[in-house]
Amino acid sequence: MEAARQAVERDPQAGSGTDWGYRLASLAFERLGRDAEAVAAAEEAVRLAPGSWTARLRLGAALRRIPGRWRESWAQATRAVRYAPEEPDPHVLIGDLALLRGEHRRAEAAYRNALRHLDDHPGARVNLGLAFLRWKRPRGHHDPAWPVDPRETGRARRALEVWSRQVRVLLAVSLTAVVAVALGTGVANEARIGGGAMLAAVLVITLRQAHRVRLWPYVPGMLSRDPWLGVSVSITLLAVAAYVAAITTLPRAAFPLFFGPAPEPVDGVWAALAALVVFNGALVIVLRVLVEAWRGRPVRAMAEFTAVHEDRTARRDIDVTLWLMAGRAWSALALVVGMTVVLDEPGWAFAALAVPLAFGWARARGGLAPCLHQVLAADRWLKAALALLTTASLALGAAAAVPGPGLPGTVGGWFRLIGIGMLAALVAVFAARSAWAWWRGVPGPWRASLIMSESGDRRLPGDVRPPVGLSGEVRRAFTHAREVVLAYADSTGPRALAVGSVSSVGPDGELRLIAGDDAWEAAERDPRVAVFVADPLDRRFWAEVRGIAVGDTEAAVLRVTPEHVVVGEYPGRHQGRPRPG
């Protein structure tokens, strides 16, 4: 920050166009958490060099962190891509902005474009893996394009979550008490009245939390963007309806709990309603674990992470992805066990042997060989989980291979029990790892621990690249020449226009051209241009400046920001060659 400040203050001609110091200051402000000042510095850089893709990129990256300015950030990022399509960093920013909104296909396309230009870009690799996993940021309910502070939508989300949790717990406890009173003492009518009175408490909770939701127009969008919030709200409404139905149809007969005649069978519909009210929380947890484990393509994501496994963010995401793959394998083995029990066919257990084969294929396809040992050494819980999965699959396969029925007491039955025991132990390992992560405040074995790659890695960000300068002889040529040619491309091919002259050359090499309407129209169609000039004194050399042309209506000039400079000598007795400018 101090170095950037001195760079700005020591440049006496900063108003002429130099933007490097402001870009450095913006990045320093951003990493210090001073987002508003980062945006101000980046806006000054764009004002000084409107044709600089690095300035546009820096402004887009700074705006991304300001609530409600996502669309402005997207506009700056797309302009940076238009100015420098051959650079990877503008494509990465486009991908990051798309990933933050959950637009995974658009993010994939942007990251692939970046990797075409730089194959080992760590940010593009890591974030492309997240796109394959269909990752959603922690505040997935909030659309970055909304003109509202995410803290406001966060408060609305918490109010909805608290309402859902309180109502469901209250209904479950109330129905349990009502059933205990009605079926234990036979006073069904009184129990029904007491259960109905609990709906007043539900109304009080609803009104209290509804008062805290002050962004009702955004609630439908929040529910659609955060599926689990939508599930929580929906299942609460279903639980209320099921509770009302269960109270209304409460059995009238007395079924003593501790003594007396045996209870009569309970109607299946009523039992289903009661189960929905009492066990909906456990159902949602199981459903969420399964869905989160099976969403996305973890093997392809793993291949992207391992390509840059030296990056700390990549190693963290590798660990979480392996836990997700372990969750998939556990659910598959649990399904195999269920099929063997329900169908009473031990042969179904042969399918369990596919799990080690699948892990071996994933290890080879995902390129885990260089970093698997390092990841397992850092997370011994994961090592134990993979060992339990392998043991469970082999035990279940052995249970199918042993002749005879897999009944308890037989060899096949013992192998099956070992497999089931390993699966139960894996659940305990996952629970212990989750509790340890929660207690220590470290990333846990769940999808929410996946993180994006930020610009704080060891690679120098592209938006702090120094500007392209002009040598003294090239400056003199543009300053004194009266025959300057502007070259550009349109739909019919390359074109060239003679412009009047260069009015000035900025300290960072920015050219200000006095040009006609044709040149202005050409720059609007495609800002990537080239400016040619010959040595006006003795015609020794020529210079070509490729850059971005942006019209300045106030000064009535075309401002060309250099991106590449080539200087060549005119052929004489000895053929000249291009040389750096």
Side-chain angles (χ1 to χ4, degrees), residues 180-186 253-264:
V181 172
L183 302 186
T185 62
F255 303 134
L257 297 178
F258 305 105
F259 56 88
E264 299 178 3

Side-chain angles (χ1 to χ4, degrees), residues 46 66 137 162 199 217 237 271 329 346 392 408 451 476:
V46 169
I66 303 298
R137 62 198 186 101
V162 170
L199 294 175
L237 298 176
I451 57 173
R476 287 192 297 271

